[in-house]
């Protein structure tokens, strides 16, 4: 895989049983790239390891006054220099490719999981953790994958050098062969505390990131109640904890670095002292001593990779664990299966065929008894906003993980039993807090759709005239085209009502078979709400639409109004009828208190 070939057509199915297994799966998925890096790394480091031989031969040639051997030594050094340059260049190229492709694979896996779970993701995993996994954790995982091949090349080079020195000069080679494994393993006792300190630092950093994200998201509310200083103090304290944890972690890693410098230095002193003694006694030649000394000196470079791989693994292991935890989340399915006791329109049809044909029919929730007839505008009234949100999610085929409730049915087919793309195409759920991504208005409305609803029609139905005027005024283009005006992240430059209506227009453009809207007009005034309600009904004529709302303006336009109380349907009718016949419905819609409801019931009985 080359960088130009990204993204992956299919990033694959990861092994998410643990963090190390996920790292192993990533490494095996890039086996070709790892082998290329290993080969170029061996060329590079073996070239470096071969330099002492050339230097030793040159020194001995000068001592022996041999011009031929000196020329051969010069040619060998030049050849090794070319190998080092080529190996270093290609090693960097292939290693960085491994890093980027590994990070891209993880990013694609996370994006696919986010699309699969939708809004359920942040209910099952903290938002700060999702941000940490998709940013810093991806980089650390890529670092380990990139360092793995370079470490393998360094380890192989050390083995080659030790074996070569034993064969070249057994007396000194044995000392080096014994000392190098000791140097490589000397830092192992220090790795567990260093890893624990690094984990503590990352945990504190994750909490600080989550606190900062929550503070920024609620900054407008905090300013309104004068609480920004309180949260600023909390973040300041959290950031100081991160700083202290980072300092403790850095101290341990600096100790490991010091050990990596001290012990090789002691080995070098021992080799020089012992080699000088042998040379003085005439056991070895001066050129051989220079060769062994230079080889031991250059061994410090591959030994550095042992420290790097230890750091990379200690940092990437918890990152891979977090990524695996997110990727292990599964789309919840109906625990009772698709047989819910409701006759199926197509009991023998396979999901793939249904997806190809396109689903249609009544939308039915077996858990509450809610029925939304095909092609009708159905309004649902719930006294509990949280219960309304959960019911809206279930109507979209999102069965909560902790629920033992069956999935909603569309035309008698369980939505959670369908392929994800088929369920998303059939039913679109817009929650009460929709998100606007940064970009132009044209990009915002450029979403997969049936093609039957033009962006202009959707904007008109959502009554976005004032939004378009504001965007045109803010446009940097000469023609003031609002469709090319950039919307800031999450639409923070717009008011709550403007963001809500733009999100509604985006949902209307998709023109799904079933559109479920949770409080689509809660942030607009009554005049605008009336026009938006009329626009929804007009544009969605003949299409199944379910709106969760307690607004009389919306309810009065609905073909069918359903009251859900304590998790089940208790009344069905039209707004004006239910307003006079059902006291619970009237209490929710008119916001009556219990005392007012009892007084009205008593008056009606008296009358």
């Amino acid at each position: 895989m080359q960088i130009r070939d990204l993204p992956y057509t299919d990033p694959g199915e990861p092994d998410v049983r643990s963090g190390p297994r996920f790292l192993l799966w990533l490494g095996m998925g890039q086996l070709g790239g790892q082998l290329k890096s290993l080969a170029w790394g061996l060329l590079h480091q073996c070239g470096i390891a071969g330099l002492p031989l050339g230097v030793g031969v040159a020194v001995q040639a000068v001592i022996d006054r041999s011009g031929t051997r000196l020329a051969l030594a010069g040619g060998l050094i030049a050849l090794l220099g070319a190998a080092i340059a080529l190996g270093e260049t290609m090693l960097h190229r292939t290693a960085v490719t491994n890093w980027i492709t590994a990070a891209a694979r993880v990013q694609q896996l996370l994006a696919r999981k986010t699309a699969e779970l939708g809004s359920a993701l942040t209910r099952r995993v903290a938002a700060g953790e999702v941000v940490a996994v998709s940013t810093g954790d991806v980089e650390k995982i890529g670092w380990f994958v990139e360092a793995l091949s370079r470490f393998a090349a360094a380890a192989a080079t050390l083995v080659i050098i030790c074996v070569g020195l034993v064969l070249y000069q057994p007396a000194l080679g044995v000392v080096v062969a014994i000392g190098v494994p000791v140097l490589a393993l000397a830092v192992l006792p220090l790795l567990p505390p260093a890893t624990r300190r690094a984990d503590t630092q990352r945990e504190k950093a994750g909490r600080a990131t989550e606190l900062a994200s929550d503070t920024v998201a609620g900054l407008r509310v905090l300013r309104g109640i004068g609480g920004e200083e309180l949260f600023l103090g909390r973040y300041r304290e959290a950031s100081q904890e991160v700083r202290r944890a980072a300092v403790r972690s850095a101290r341990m890693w600096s100790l490991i670095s010091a050990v990596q410098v001290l012990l090789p230095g002691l080995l070098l002193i021992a080799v020089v002292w012992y080699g000088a003694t042998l040379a003085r006694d005439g056991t070895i030649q001066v050129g051989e001593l220079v060769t062994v000394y230079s080889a031991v000196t250059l061994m410090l470079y591959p030994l550095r990779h042992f420290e790097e791989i230890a750091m990379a693994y200690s940092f990437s292991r918890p990152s891979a664990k977090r990524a695996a935890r997110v990727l292990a989340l599964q789309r919840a399915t109906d625990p009772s299966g698709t047989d819910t006791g409701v006759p199926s329109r197509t009991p023998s049809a396979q999901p793939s065929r249904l997806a190809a044909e396109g689903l249609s029919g009544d939308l039915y929730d077996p858990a509450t008894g809610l029925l939304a007839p095909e092609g009708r505008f159905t309004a649902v009234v719930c006294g509990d906003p949280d219960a309304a949100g959960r019911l809206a999610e279930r109507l979209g085929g999102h069965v909560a993980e902790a629920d033992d409730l069956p999935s909603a049915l569309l035309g008698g087919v369980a939505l959670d039993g369908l392929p994800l793309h088929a369920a998303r195409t059939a039913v679109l759920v817009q929650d009460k807090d929709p998100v606007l991504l940064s970009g132009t208005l044209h990009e915002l409305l450029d979403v997969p759709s049936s093609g039957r609803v033009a962006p202009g029609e959707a904007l008109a139905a959502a009554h976005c005239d004032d939004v378009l005027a504001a965007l045109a005024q803010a446009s940097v283009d000469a023609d003031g085209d609002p469709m090319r005006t950039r919307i800031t992240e999450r639409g923070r430059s717009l008011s709550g009502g403007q963001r809500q209506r733009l999100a509604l227009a985006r949902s209307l453009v998709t023109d799904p078979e079933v559109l479920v809207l949770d409080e689509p007009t809660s942030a607009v005034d009554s005049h605008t709400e009336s026009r938006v309600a009329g626009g929804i009904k007009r544009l969605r004529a003949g299409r199944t639409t379910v709106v969760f709302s307690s607004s009389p303006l919306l309810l009065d336009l609905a073909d069918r109004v359903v009251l859900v109380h304590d998790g089940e349907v208790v009344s069905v009718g039209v707004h004006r009828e239910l307003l006079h016949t059902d006291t619970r419905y009237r209490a929710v819609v008119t916001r009556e208190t219990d005392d007012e409801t009892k007084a009205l019931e008593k008056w009606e009985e008296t009358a």
Side-chain angles (χ1 to χ4, degrees), residues 227-248:
E228 63 265 33
E229 286 299 327
L230 173 63
F231 274 79
L232 181 61
R234 291 179 181 178
Y235 179 73
R236 184 182 294 112
E237 181 180 350
S239 64
Q240 288 301 312
E241 290 182 5
V242 174
R243 182 189 61 81
R244 288 190 289 268
V247 170
R248 292 187 72 248

Side-chain angles (χ1 to χ4, degrees), residues 282-343:
T283 306
I284 65 173
Q285 296 179 340
V286 174
E288 292 175 333
L289 175 59
V290 171
T291 298
V292 175
Y293 168 79
S294 301
V296 174
T297 302
L298 292 176
M299 286 174 68
L300 300 180
Y301 176 72
L303 278 172
R304 287 287 182 181
H305 290 286
F306 283 75
E307 177 189 353
E308 182 190 13
I309 197 66
M311 292 182 65
Y313 180 73
S314 66
F315 278 90
S316 65
R317 182 182 56 80
S319 296
K321 182 179 178 181
R322 279 195 293 266
R325 184 164 59 244
V326 174
L327 294 174
L329 298 175
Q330 296 295 325
R331 179 187 173 204
T333 56
D334 183 355
S336 61
T338 58
D339 184 8
T340 58
V342 178

Side-chain angles (χ1 to χ4, degrees), residues 40 43-44 82-96:
W40 291 116
L43 177 63
H44 169 61
I84 292 171
L86 178 62
E88 172 70 11
T89 301
M90 297 306 298
L91 172 62
H92 179 75
R93 180 185 179 92
T94 54
V96 170

Side-chain angles (χ1 to χ4, degrees), residues 374-412:
E374 181 180 8
R376 304 281 296 280
F377 181 3
T378 302
V380 182
V381 177
C382 287
D384 183 0
D386 293 333
R390 291 192 295 270
L391 178 53
E393 291 286 338
R394 197 160 61 248
L395 291 178
H398 305 280
V399 178
E401 190 175 23
D403 280 353
D404 292 328
L405 301 176
S407 167
L409 309 176
L410 181 59

